[in-house]
Amino acid sequence: MFGIPRYYSPMTQVVLVGIVCFLCPGMFNALNGMGGGGQVDRTTGNNANTALYTAFIVFGIVGGSIVNLFGVRWTIAVSGLSYALYSGSYIYLNHTGNGAFTIAAGGVLGVGAGILWAAQGMIMVSYPREEEKGRYIAVFWMIFNLGGVIGGILPFAINYHSDTDTLSDSVYIAFVVLECVGAAMGLTLAPPGKVVRDDGSSVVLVKYTSGGREAVEIVKLFLNPMMLALIPMCFTSNFFYSYQFGPVNASIFNLRTRGFNNIFYWGAQMVGAYALSFLLDSRRMTRRMRGLIAFAIVAVFFNVVWGGTLKQQLKYTHGPLPDGTPTDYPGGLIDFLQHGRAAGPIVLYTLYGVGDALYQNFAYWLIGSLTNDGQKLSRYAGFYKGMQSLGSVVAWQLDAKGVSYLDQMIGNWVLLVISLGPMLYVVVTLKDHSEDALPADTVVKGNGIVEVYGETGDNSTRSATHLSDEEKAQQYVV
């Protein structure tokens, strides 16, 4: 029989941050998944995404340090509002045709998203115990992608009888409202130091009180061999979005079917994440063996899917153009009621969602396997999102500059293959345990945050989970 998790339990906090991401990034994903933000001319949407991910590169990397300095609640809440600003900017675009505000809002969103995802990554991979990380990642991923499912239902239902190729104001307003609610939900999160695992251990964070110290730690990320090896993986992990959402979804499907596709795309992510969690948390195998099997699944799955994509891409060269030129896909735009034409492309698009979940869940698990130090993981998560955003900047500009669909598709496939070698290197170096020990003179405060006062000289260490109740009884509120 399942009980209701404690408010201060790691699972409750992961569920809460999942709800925030369901309402903020989840809605953004649904909007982005329409291709060009739901506009027939994808130029503004592509340029807004370029501005977004350019800012995301910087604030993804420094986001972990910002979260370490200011805490998770307010950083997530304020960052969530940037999603509402971005969605609202499309209402202005609908009425003026001027994309400047949307592009600027994309830049603001890049700042907010970089910080939000650093906080989210820290919560998701540092709160659970080592043997629970796969399950916690899956729980988050399912809740988060439920946002994309709901976000797909909205344009599908509202535009069901519409012949236009542009989303209406009512859809954008619905997104804005939901994203504002999501931002407010950030304030429901507990301070990390008050979170206590079911075994009684605290979620311990090292408290660096200096921005200068954080700057040094950011520089160290670029000297860390494991982080450097994972750059191709990070760069590739969202690169395919621009191709899947634009040259595929927005180019061969009509508007209502794009929303219909997104229901399955994001829903498939929930299934993929859930299925992979059983492997990643299996106690029957070593961590390295689990990693090797997961790696093989990701490698084979993606290569098969891109093979099917190549076959489909060879049938057409462009989608509907702003001057009214229709797509050259055989038979024109696909409607989901055209069962004979729609089945194959929709199944392939759904498999894109499964692949995304497999790749990113494995990536988060891999990063979470490198350390249990929450503060390091906040930086690692930020580094992951920053390098991921660098790839996204390149990808969205390829589409914005009119690079052929076939070249974009081949580029995605090549990048995937390149990322596999370094990823495998990290997998084979994994150890079964990565528990971080703290200096013996470290004082753990009541909320689990620690302050390091100096070296004792005896080189002795002890796990933070084994510190005395007297040490943990001291209160320090951040």
Side-chain angles (χ1 to χ4, degrees):
M1 185 175 181
F2 294 97
I4 299 175
R6 297 172 291 104
Y7 171 66
Y8 289 116
S9 73
M11 180 58 77
T12 298
Q13 300 306 307
V14 169
V15 168
L16 287 174
V17 79
I19 293 172
V20 172
C21 291
F22 158 83
L23 292 167
C24 292
M27 293 300 120
F28 167 80
N29 280 347
L31 184 60
N32 233 21
M34 298 296 294
Q39 303 287 310
V40 65
D41 183 356
R42 300 201 306 274
T43 303
T44 296
N46 286 339
N47 287 331
N49 275 309
T50 300
L52 188 165
Y53 289 110
T54 300
F56 206 149
I57 295 169
V58 177
F59 283 88
I61 294 172
V62 304
S65 292
I66 292 173
V67 173
N68 290 341
L69 291 169
F70 297 102
V72 297
R73 287 184 296 181
W74 284 103
T75 52
I76 287 180
V78 174
S79 296
L81 294 175
S82 62
Y83 287 88
L85 175 68
Y86 179 76
S87 296
S89 72
Y90 278 97
I91 299 174
Y92 177 81
L93 178 62
N94 268 353
H95 289 274
T96 67
N98 186 343
F101 179 40
T102 300
I103 294 171
V108 174
L109 176 55
V111 175
I115 298 170
L116 184 147
W117 280 105
Q120 173 275 333
M122 181 272 288
I123 291 172
M124 184 177 69
V125 296
S126 72
Y127 282 17
R129 298 191 299 269
E130 287 186 331
E131 65 273 16
E132 299 173 328
K133 290 188 178 185
R135 180 163 64 96
Y136 275 63
I137 293 170
V139 167
F140 166 81
W141 209 257
M142 288 188 288
I143 297 172
F144 160 49
N145 283 292
L146 183 60
V149 173
I150 301 300
I153 292 173
L154 285 174
F156 172 67
I158 294 174
N159 292 279
Y160 189 85
H161 298 292
S162 174
D163 294 326
T164 182
D165 284 327
T166 299
L167 292 180
S168 62
D169 287 353
S170 56
V171 176
Y172 293 119
I173 290 171
F175 282 144
V176 170
V177 171
L178 291 171
E179 286 160 348
C180 286
V181 173
M185 284 292 296
L187 298 177
T188 66
L189 291 164
K194 293 186 178 181
V195 179
V196 179
R197 300 186 180 99
D198 291 338
D199 63 2
S201 62
S202 298
V203 173
V204 179
L205 298 173
V206 179
K207 172 69 175 175
Y208 297 123
T209 57
S210 163
R213 178 61 182 270
E214 286 296 328
V216 170
E217 296 299 325
I218 290 172
V219 172
K220 287 182 179 178
L221 290 172
F222 293 91
L223 303 175
N224 185 320
M226 292 301 166
M227 289 294 100
L228 294 177
L230 290 177
I231 285 178
M233 177 194 78
C234 302
F235 186 89
T236 305
S237 59
N238 268 7
F239 196 91
F240 45 77
Y241 278 175
S242 66
Y243 174 78
Q244 292 172 356
F245 297 159
V248 178
N249 201 28
S251 297
I252 67 174
F253 299 100
N254 63 17
L255 185 63
R256 69 177 184 177
T257 306
R258 287 187 241 165
F260 180 80
N261 288 344
N262 280 335
I263 296 171
F264 288 94
Y265 183 94
W266 302 113
Q269 298 227 12
M270 299 165 67
V271 176
Y274 180 72
L276 189 63
S277 69
F278 288 99
L279 169 62
L280 297 181
D281 283 346
S282 174
R283 299 187 181 185
R284 299 179 180 179
M285 296 174 282
T286 65
R287 178 186 276 176
R288 182 181 300 166
M289 181 57 66
R290 283 175 275 154
L292 288 171
I293 295 174
F295 169 82
I297 291 172
V298 168
V300 172
F301 187 91
F302 259 90
N303 278 290
V304 170
V305 167
W306 282 119
T309 301
L310 176 61
K311 181 179 179 181
Q312 176 176 274
Q313 184 58 71
L314 291 174
K315 297 178 181 180
Y316 68 105
T317 62
H318 65 82
L321 302 177
D323 63 5
T325 302
T327 180
D328 65 346
Y329 187 81
L333 293 177
I334 299 171
D335 186 85
F336 76 100
L337 293 178
Q338 299 171 317
H339 301 147
R341 296 182 65 221
I346 290 177
V347 168
L348 181 61
Y349 195 76
T350 301
L351 291 177
Y352 291 161
V354 177
D356 185 16
L358 294 177
Y359 197 96
Q360 294 213 58
N361 277 253
F362 180 56
Y364 271 118
W365 178 84
L366 197 56
I367 291 170
S369 297
L370 300 178
T371 180
N372 290 322
D373 183 322
Q375 201 158 53
K376 284 184 181 178
L377 285 171
S378 70
R379 298 190 198 99
Y380 289 178
F383 183 87
Y384 170 65
K385 299 301 289 188
M387 294 298 102
Q388 181 186 79
S389 299
L390 178 60
S392 295
V393 167
V394 176
W396 288 106
Q397 273 303 290
L398 290 178
D399 193 38
K401 298 301 183 184
V403 174
S404 74
Y405 288 1
L406 181 60
D407 287 345
Q408 290 187 52
M409 183 261 142
I410 293 173
N412 272 279
W413 199 350
V414 169
L415 283 173
L416 168 74
V417 173
I418 291 173
S419 73
L420 294 178
M423 192 189 305
L424 179 60
Y425 164 74
V426 175
V427 171
V428 299
T429 63
L430 290 179
K431 299 177 181 179
D432 276 342
H433 300 289
S434 53
E435 194 74 42
D436 283 310
L438 299 172
D441 56 348
T442 296
V443 177
V444 177
K445 303 300 183 179
N447 62 358
I449 294 177
V450 304
E451 292 180 339
V452 181
Y453 290 101
E455 299 295 334
T456 59
D458 60 4
N459 295 321
S460 62
T461 60
R462 53 183 167 169
S463 169
T465 59
H466 296 138
L467 293 172
S468 69
D469 292 337
E470 181 178 335
E471 288 172 315
K472 294 182 179 181
Q474 303 175 66
Q475 295 299 312
Y476 181 81
V477 180
V478 176

